[in-house]
Amino acid sequence: MNRSIGNRYLCLMLFLLFALSACASSPDFELYQGRSLKIAVVGEVPKVKEEHVEFVEIPINEMNSEELNAYDAVFIRENNLLEASESQYTDIYLQSSIPFFFIGASNPIPFTVKDVEYDETWEWTAGTGYAVGVLVSQEEDTERHWRYGLYNDEKTEEHLKQMYSLIFNTISELNP
């Protein structure tokens, strides 16, 4: 009789182990499957899964509205945020016809308000967005902002790739 109880206990434990492991599996992240995109990047080109997204590295000091019109969006990477917050670039962000995404920033204010410098208070921390986007429409007199977080507030390569997929969807929806 003791052996029967032991077998039942073992079966119950195995069942619970399988049930709990099924709950803990990582989510299935969806890839961006829209049209091809061409994105200018200030800084290192991000690692993404999508093959139909083309990245072109550009120096920040060569950004101007005319040249940026050849792209669907601009990404400014983490190591370039301090320079990107300099007042000389604010008008470019606010007068561009394409969106800017600041990767690693929790707020667009240092980039859209002159004389506000980017520092560690604007950097990503768990519980805040990992990337912010901005697009100002001169015709409609509107300013759009986006904030993208990381899954479970964990900065992993897989979660970063998922965030980029979400950004690609936003870009595609702006100009289908």
Side-chain angles (χ1 to χ4, degrees), residues 30-35 37 39 50 52-53 75 101 146 148 162-176:
E30 291 186 28
L31 292 176
Y32 167 70
Q33 298 192 9
R35 66 181 175 85
L37 298 174
I39 299 173
E50 292 82 356
H52 59 295
V53 176
F75 287 179
F101 294 90
W146 300 272
Y148 302 89
Q162 172 58 22
M163 179 201 66
Y164 284 114
S165 294
L166 294 172
I167 294 173
F168 300 152
N169 279 317
T170 298
I171 295 166
S172 180
E173 290 169 3
L174 290 171
N175 196 2

Side-chain angles (χ1 to χ4, degrees), residues 21 25 42 52 66 83 94 97 118 129-130 156 163 166 172-173:
S21 66
S25 66
V42 175
H52 59 295
E66 292 173 16
E83 184 179 3
L94 296 177
S97 61
Y118 180 84
Y130 187 77
T156 67
M163 179 201 66
L166 294 172
S172 180
E173 290 169 3

Side-chain angles (χ1 to χ4, degrees), residues 4-64:
S4 174
I5 292 173
N7 284 340
R8 287 184 190 173
Y9 180 72
L10 179 62
C11 288
L12 178 64
M13 292 304 292
L14 287 173
F15 173 76
L16 289 174
L17 178 66
F18 287 119
L20 290 175
S21 66
C23 295
S25 66
S26 62
D28 289 331
F29 294 131
E30 291 186 28
L31 292 176
Y32 167 70
Q33 298 192 9
R35 66 181 175 85
S36 295
L37 298 174
K38 185 175 180 182
I39 299 173
V41 180
V42 175
E44 186 178 329
V45 169
K47 295 176 184 173
V48 299
K49 292 182 178 181
E50 292 82 356
E51 294 181 11
H52 59 295
V53 176
E54 176 187 355
F55 293 103
V56 178
E57 287 184 57
I58 62 169
I60 193 166
N61 60 354
E62 292 182 15
M63 282 194 313
N64 67 56

